Amino acid sequence: METDYHFMGAALAAAREAQAAGEVPVGAVLAGEGGEILARAFNSPIALNDPTAHAEVLALRSAAARLGNYRLPGTTLYVTIEPCIMCVGALIQARVKRLVFGAPDPKTGACISLYRLPEDPRLNHRLEVTGGIREAECRELLQDFFRERR
């Protein structure tokens, strides 16, 4: 989908900012129903000394503050890697409508890789999920980062 490709490009740009700051290169963009960007963020747990400062959580916090509401219905979150359990939980709590991610995360992914939380019938909200948008670019960014660290 053209729109998904576009917004993932914005998430990739945010991920590159994380990389430049010495953080794991993950970026996120939250888009509103009208296609406007409500928030953008990148991983910042090192800079903020905050283990919850994942790109997804920071984007949700920013958008909620901007809109004056902790619920974000009708929104779509674009993130460069499949979210972890914490981030999927935050997306569900915020009532985000849709999640679009780039690369799957076989070590911590909570959408398709290790868990399938967005579709768990025991939870009070379902999250539509689309994966694999600009997957190669997202995966390469992470692999290059970790290759350089080793």
Side-chain angles (χ1 to χ4, degrees), residues 18-135:
Q19 183 175 28
E23 302 275 1
V24 174
V26 177
V29 171
L30 188 73
E33 288 181 281
E36 70 281 14
I37 291 180
L38 299 173
R40 66 183 301 280
F42 56 82
N43 269 15
S44 299
I46 297 168
L48 298 176
N49 294 308
D50 180 355
T52 69
H54 290 195
E56 302 94 323
V57 171
L58 295 175
L60 293 176
R61 288 177 184 164
S62 177
R66 177 179 174 184
L67 299 174
N69 192 345
Y70 71 104
R71 301 275 195 223
L72 302 167
T75 59
T76 299
L77 184 85
Y78 295 85
V79 63
T80 54
I81 192 165
E82 179 184 358
C84 69
I85 293 170
M86 175 184 70
C87 292
V88 172
L91 293 168
I92 289 169
Q93 292 300 317
R95 306 298 191 268
V96 169
K97 180 179 180 181
R98 186 168 175 248
L99 164 69
V100 178
F101 69 86
D105 184 352
K107 293 185 179 183
T108 65
C111 298
I112 62 167
S113 295
L114 291 179
Y115 306 98
R116 294 187 172 273
L117 293 179
E119 62 189 43
D120 191 318
R122 296 168 294 180
L123 300 174
N124 63 344
H125 178 70
R126 304 296 169 278
L127 185 60
E128 297 172 28
V129 177
T130 302
I133 303 298
R134 298 179 78 160
E135 180 178 344

